Amino acid sequence: MTPHQLLDTLDLDTVEHLAAVCRQAGSDLPAEELKALQVGKVGEEGGEAMHQLHGLKGLTTCDCPEHSWKGVMNDLGGAVLAALIAMIYIDPDGWRTTLAEVLHRRTRRGREHAAVA
């Protein structure tokens, strides 16, 4: 299966299944600690994207020569996935509704622009 085919078939149920696997791995932690750690994971992934960008622009003292826009995108995708898992941990029953509301609210300007075009 190619990445594009995976993206076409990836649904929110798959993200919920991944969250269950991650939750099981952290089953020895209290629920509130697991939520906090997952929110922190979002920041960590975002920080890794920023590290890639710094390396790409030559703004790091890191020895790693392999910085790329693909690496930035990979880490941004990791941040998105980590954020979805955090939303599931925080509100297992309502996260989809919250996500839909946030996406609707935050994409208003794009919808308005498309309607004019």
Side-chain angles (χ1 to χ4, degrees), residues 48-58 60 64-76:
E48 289 177 8
M50 196 67 213
H51 175 78
Q52 280 279 339
L53 183 58
H54 281 172
L56 184 64
K57 298 298 180 181
T60 182
C64 180
E66 298 299 320
H67 294 98
S68 65
W69 284 112
K70 185 174 182 174
V72 172
M73 297 283 286
N74 179 67
D75 292 330
L76 289 172

Side-chain angles (χ1 to χ4, degrees), residues 1-98:
M1 181 175 286
T2 70
H4 285 288
Q5 289 170 323
L6 181 60
L7 184 59
D8 289 343
T9 62
L10 182 63
D11 62 5
L12 297 180
D13 290 338
T14 303
V15 177
E16 283 187 332
H17 292 305
L18 178 59
V21 169
C22 294
R23 185 183 298 273
Q24 181 60 37
S27 62
D28 58 322
L29 300 171
E32 291 301 308
E33 185 175 347
L34 192 59
K35 290 176 191 177
L37 288 170
Q38 189 62 36
V39 170
K41 181 68 175 168
V42 177
E44 178 209 354
E45 292 287 346
E48 289 177 8
M50 196 67 213
H51 175 78
Q52 280 279 339
L53 183 58
H54 281 172
L56 184 64
K57 298 298 180 181
L59 301 173
T60 182
T61 58
C62 174
D63 242 356
C64 180
E66 298 299 320
H67 294 98
S68 65
W69 284 112
K70 185 174 182 174
V72 172
M73 297 283 286
N74 179 67
D75 292 330
L76 289 172
V80 169
L81 191 53
L84 291 174
I85 292 170
M87 290 179 74
I88 293 167
Y89 286 0
I90 292 166
D91 187 0
D93 297 323
W95 77 275
R96 288 178 188 230
T97 299
T98 300

